[in-house]
Amino acid sequence: MSQRIKVTVESTPTKTFATAIDWPGWSRSGRTVDLALEALAAAAPRHARVAGEAGEPFPEEGAILEFEIVEQAPGGSGTAFGVPSRVTDADRRPTSPAEADRLRRLVAAAWAVFDRVSATAPAELRKGPRGGGRDRDKMIAHVVESDHAYAREIGLRLTAPAPDDRGAITAMRAAMLNVLGSPSDGSPIADRRWTVRYAAGRIAWHALDHAWEMEDRSDVT
C-alpha cells in the first residue's frame, strides 16, 4: 500500500530540507533534494512514535511513501546552517479549531519524545564524526533556551526557565501550546514572521532533531 505525503523543499547549494507539510517536526535534510527525501523517508518510523504519542494515525510500517513536492523554493543562510527556515505558502494555510488542536498535540508529543529520550540517555554522549557535539545536559539546556527564543517569536514574554526547572518549563510549554492551538487565518503571529503552522513545525523539528541525535549518540535505541 502506498501513502502520498505532501512536502515542501528549500534548497541551497550545500543543504536541502524536505518537510512534510501536515506533520510538524517531520523535516530532514540532505545535500540534494533526492537525499533530503531519502532522509525524510528514513525518519518515518521515528516520526510514527510522535504521531502515536499525539493519538494521530500515521502511515503503517512498510507502507510505500510517495512524496509529492507541492512547493520548492530557494533556502537562505538558515537553511545552509542546518535549520528549516523558509516560511512557505503551505505554512500560511488557515487552521481550523480541529487543525490547530492537532498541531498542538503533535508539538506536545515532540516535547514528550525529547523528554523521554533525555531522561534515559547517558550524561556523556558519543562524539560526532568530527569529534564534536553537545553532551546530554548541554543539549537539554540548548533545547530549553531555544524554546524560550521560539516563545518570543510567537509573541510571548516569559522568564527564561532554568534547564532543570520542570515546573517553569512545563508552564512555558503550556503557554506556547495555547498559542499554537488557537485557530488562525494563516497570518504571522503577533505581527512578526512566523505563522502558526511554521512555528509548530520549527518547534517540533528542533526538539525531535536533538532527541534523535541523542539516541544516535548514546546506547538508547
Side-chain angles (χ1 to χ4, degrees), residues 5-10 16-29 33 36-37 40 67-71 79 83-86 88 90-91 93 197-198 200-202 205:
I5 305 294
K6 294 181 178 181
V7 304
T8 58
V9 169
E10 57 184 271
T16 293
F17 272 94
T19 298
I21 66 172
D22 293 318
W23 293 100
W26 192 13
S27 182
R28 306 310 291 163
S29 67
V33 173
L37 292 173
L40 195 67
F67 293 120
E68 177 187 357
I69 298 176
V70 297
E71 189 174 343
T79 316
V83 176
S85 53
R86 168 74 65 173
T88 65
D91 293 322
R93 290 174 295 160
R197 290 184 186 271
Y198 176 80
R202 175 69 173 269
W205 167 80

Side-chain angles (χ1 to χ4, degrees), residues 28 42-50 53 109-110 112-122 124-127 134-136 139-140 206-221:
R28 306 310 291 163
R46 280 175 150 170
H47 203 78
R49 292 158 46 193
V50 184
E53 184 84 32
V113 168
F114 177 81
D115 289 345
R116 190 157 54 243
V117 171
S118 60
T120 55
E124 185 174 341
L125 302 173
R126 289 195 296 269
K127 299 303 181 186
R134 300 177 181 91
D135 282 328
R136 181 197 63 198
M139 198 179 298
I140 292 171
H206 190 249
L208 293 172
D209 191 56
H210 285 296
W212 296 341
E213 178 191 356
M214 205 177 297
E215 285 185 331
D216 291 343
R217 294 178 50 222
S218 70
D219 295 328
V220 179
T221 57

Side-chain angles (χ1 to χ4, degrees), residues 24-219:
W26 192 13
S27 182
R28 306 310 291 163
S29 67
R31 185 172 179 84
T32 65
V33 173
D34 286 345
L35 290 175
L37 292 173
E38 286 182 19
L40 195 67
R46 280 175 150 170
H47 203 78
R49 292 158 46 193
V50 184
E53 184 84 32
E56 285 294 314
F58 193 77
E60 294 182 3
E61 186 175 355
I64 299 172
L65 301 179
E66 297 181 357
F67 293 120
E68 177 187 357
I69 298 176
V70 297
E71 189 174 343
Q72 191 163 0
S77 58
T79 316
F81 181 71
V83 176
S85 53
R86 168 74 65 173
V87 180
T88 65
D89 289 342
D91 293 322
R92 298 185 181 94
R93 290 174 295 160
T95 53
S96 67
E99 289 172 322
D101 179 68
R102 180 176 180 273
L103 295 180
R104 179 191 62 77
R105 287 185 285 108
L106 286 165
V107 174
W111 276 326
V113 168
F114 177 81
D115 289 345
R116 190 157 54 243
V117 171
S118 60
T120 55
E124 185 174 341
L125 302 173
R126 289 195 296 269
K127 299 303 181 186
R130 296 183 178 84
R134 300 177 181 91
D135 282 328
R136 181 197 63 198
D137 292 349
K138 287 188 177 180
M139 198 179 298
I140 292 171
H142 166 70
V143 169
V144 172
E145 181 181 359
S146 296
D147 284 339
H148 180 251
Y150 297 156
R152 292 198 302 270
E153 289 292 335
I154 60 175
L156 298 173
R157 293 291 182 266
L158 305 171
T159 301
D164 59 351
D165 188 339
R166 296 308 307 175
I169 292 169
T170 298
M172 177 180 72
R173 289 175 175 177
M176 295 170 73
L177 292 172
N178 186 56
V179 174
L180 300 177
S182 299
S184 170
D185 64 1
S187 300
I189 305 170
D191 296 323
R192 295 174 71 90
R193 187 175 72 91
W194 290 11
T195 65
V196 165
R197 290 184 186 271
Y198 176 80
R202 175 69 173 269
I203 294 164
W205 167 80
H206 190 249
L208 293 172
D209 191 56
H210 285 296
W212 296 341
E213 178 191 356
M214 205 177 297
E215 285 185 331
D216 291 343
R217 294 178 50 222
S218 70
D219 295 328

